[in-house]
Amino acid sequence: MSEEMPGFETLAVHAGQEADKATGAVVTPIHLATTYAQDAVGEHRGFEYSRTGNPTRAALETAVAALERARFAVAFSSGMAAADGVLRSLVPGDHVVMGNDAYGGTWRLIARVFGASGISHTSVNLADLGGLPRAMTDETKLVWLETPSNPLLGIVDVEAVSAIAHDAGALVVVDNTFATPYLQRPLSLGADIVVHSSTKYLGGHSDVVGGVAVTDDEEIASSLHFIQNAAGAVPSPFDCYLVLRGMKTLAVRMDRQCRNASVIAEFLAAHRSVSHVNYPGLVSHPGHELASRQMRDFGAMVSFTLRGGESQALAVAGKTELFTLAESLGAVESLVEQPARMTHLSAAGSPLEVDPALLRLSVGLENVDDLIDDLSRALA
Ligand code: PLP
């Protein structure tokens, strides 16, 4: 290969996935061994015990790091385990600033699990940069953000937030689950750590739960590796294989899913039953300009509010046929959900509580005319 870094699609197929040296197999083997023979005490060939390190997991970590153009990736058994691994660097007395629009489970982890261990947090609208300095204290160690956010598709300026946070000595963590490294690379915009729920677009087929934390900083990577081994929330070799397989088609899936989502967002914006559509690809979206600069495309998640309130939202979610009513997102099949009672139920009563009239769509790879027909019927 040339000196220059290969393109995203090439890395997705090849990074960390050279043909197996022993057999020539072109697909990364699923290494099930839990333990590895040592030539002498302490002399091993790179692997000793599978919680500490596993060749299939190492291939996945190399591939994700390559896609984020980062030096290190550390894989976990779920997106929440990756978030937990990052947050464990905090000590009692530390403070976190997080966006006020984020996955409910992330809020629950920060507010209820780490909150119970003496780590405080403030949630703030990070799309409005003026709010961030006011939310930060001398104890703020992390600023945690999603862009696009879940479920309102808010866009946060990663470069500007990173500059403010770094001035105050805090690290920036970006949950890049919605955008994927194909659409956005937060480390290149100044963020310190990227986390993914690889359950979503990286896996891409609704058949694996996983997470990964990515960084360029050796010290952060070493602390993440320490937590990965010490706390042990590691993905199984089979799960690593599934995410690796999914990532090979990430670019082509994203291209088509973004295109489908943009057609659907326009359709919804023109529908009389819909009062508001959240999709950064719409020129009316307040973050449209920023998203155009920060992202390659606008993603495949769309959310919208029904004029008829919660009862209409529930009725529509119950009537679609191609859009399956289910939690999760980012896979080949289209999904619909009501965040207030589903993915964001854990944030009820908090500043992150979601309007019950909001529905969230994860737009898949089906024919877009069929998807529009499905929504048309459900909205009628
Ligand atoms: N981050 C975002 C943006 C999510 O939507 C989710 C789950 O829906 C998570 C993190 C948590 O990931 P996991 O379900 O793999 O633990």
Side-chain angles (χ1 to χ4, degrees):
M1 271 184 199
S2 71
E3 289 288 297
E4 258 182 45
M5 193 74 158
F8 185 94
E9 298 84 346
T10 308
L11 290 170
V13 174
H14 294 290
Q17 303 165 79
E18 304 82 25
D20 180 47
K21 284 196 184 69
T23 63
V26 297
V27 170
T28 305
I30 301 170
H31 287 272
L32 294 173
T34 53
T35 191
Y36 293 82
Q38 307 202 1
D39 298 328
V41 173
E43 264 179 48
H44 55 78
R45 294 165 227 172
F47 298 96
E48 45 192 322
Y49 182 60
S50 193
R51 164 163 47 73
T52 315
N54 170 281
T56 316
R57 191 169 90 217
L60 171 64
E61 292 173 336
T62 303
V64 175
L67 297 188
E68 288 284 0
R69 311 267 172 169
R71 292 172 67 206
F72 310 100
V74 185
F76 290 88
S77 56
S78 68
M80 291 326 303
D84 177 69
V86 170
L87 290 161
R88 277 174 194 253
S89 64
L90 302 175
V91 296
D94 285 351
H95 175 251
V96 178
V97 174
M98 70 176 292
N100 65 355
D101 177 31
Y103 173 54
T106 304
W107 177 82
R108 178 174 56 195
L109 179 67
I110 291 174
R112 298 190 45 197
V113 178
F114 284 87
S117 322
I119 289 150
S120 60
H121 81 283
T122 304
S123 51
V124 66
N125 176 11
L126 290 171
D128 165 19
L129 290 172
L132 177 57
R134 286 196 296 280
M136 294 188 72
T137 71
D138 290 346
E139 277 63 57
T140 305
K141 295 293 177 334
L142 282 186
V143 176
W144 191 288
L145 65 95
E146 290 179 10
T147 183
S149 61
N150 183 2
L152 296 177
L153 286 308
I155 301 295
V156 177
D157 188 332
V158 178
E159 207 165 359
V161 165
S162 300
I164 297 169
H166 291 163
D167 267 356
L171 297 177
V172 174
V173 184
V174 176
D175 183 331
N176 205 24
T177 299
F178 270 32
T180 83
Y182 182 57
L183 301 185
Q184 167 177 281
R185 284 188 292 108
L187 299 181
S188 72
L189 299 168
D192 302 282
I193 304 172
V194 162
V195 293
H196 282 283
S197 165
S198 47
T199 314
K200 312 297 177 348
Y201 290 100
L202 299 186
H205 295 75
S206 297
D207 54 9
V208 57
V209 171
V212 59
V214 189
T215 185
D216 264 337
D217 184 301
E218 197 156 1
E219 215 173 299
I220 296 173
S222 135
S223 135
L224 287 166
H225 276 124
F226 174 77
I227 296 295
Q228 183 194 42
N229 182 46
V234 291
S236 76
F238 186 62
D239 288 353
C240 294
Y241 160 79
L242 285 173
V243 178
L244 268 175
R245 185 166 76 155
M247 287 197 315
K248 292 183 194 197
T249 55
L250 179 61
V252 283
R253 282 189 282 112
M254 282 317 276
D255 280 342
R256 177 59 69 86
Q257 288 179 243
C258 289
R259 208 185 322 150
N260 283 357
S262 126
V263 175
I264 285 169
E266 298 281 357
F267 161 79
L268 290 170
H271 200 286
R272 64 185 186 288
S273 297
V274 174
S275 58
H276 189 72
V277 180
N278 303 302
Y279 183 65
L282 294 175
V283 281
S284 57
H285 188 288
H288 178 70
E289 283 302 315
L290 174 58
S292 310
R293 270 187 279 128
Q294 196 167 263
M295 301 173 73
R296 183 201 290 253
D297 202 336
F298 301 104
M301 298 299 297
V302 180
S303 63
F304 61 104
T305 315
L306 279 306
R307 281 194 203 286
E310 178 171 24
S311 58
Q312 193 183 13
L314 294 178
V316 171
K319 274 196 222 155
T320 55
E321 287 173 7
L322 273 182
F323 280 89
T324 302
L325 176 58
E327 304 211 359
S328 202
L329 61 108
V332 293
E333 65 281 323
S334 294
L335 303 177
V336 59
E337 66 120 5
Q338 187 215 17
R341 291 205 204 181
M342 295 172 70
T343 49
H344 289 65
L345 183 60
S346 56
S350 82
L352 280 76
E353 183 169 285
V354 179
D355 180 353
L358 185 87
L359 289 182
R360 190 190 74 182
L361 302 178
S362 172
V363 179
L365 280 178
E366 299 91 339
N367 181 292
V368 72
D369 295 332
D370 295 337
L371 293 175
I372 299 256
D373 284 349
D374 192 34
L375 288 172
S376 270
R377 272 193 297 272
L379 284 162

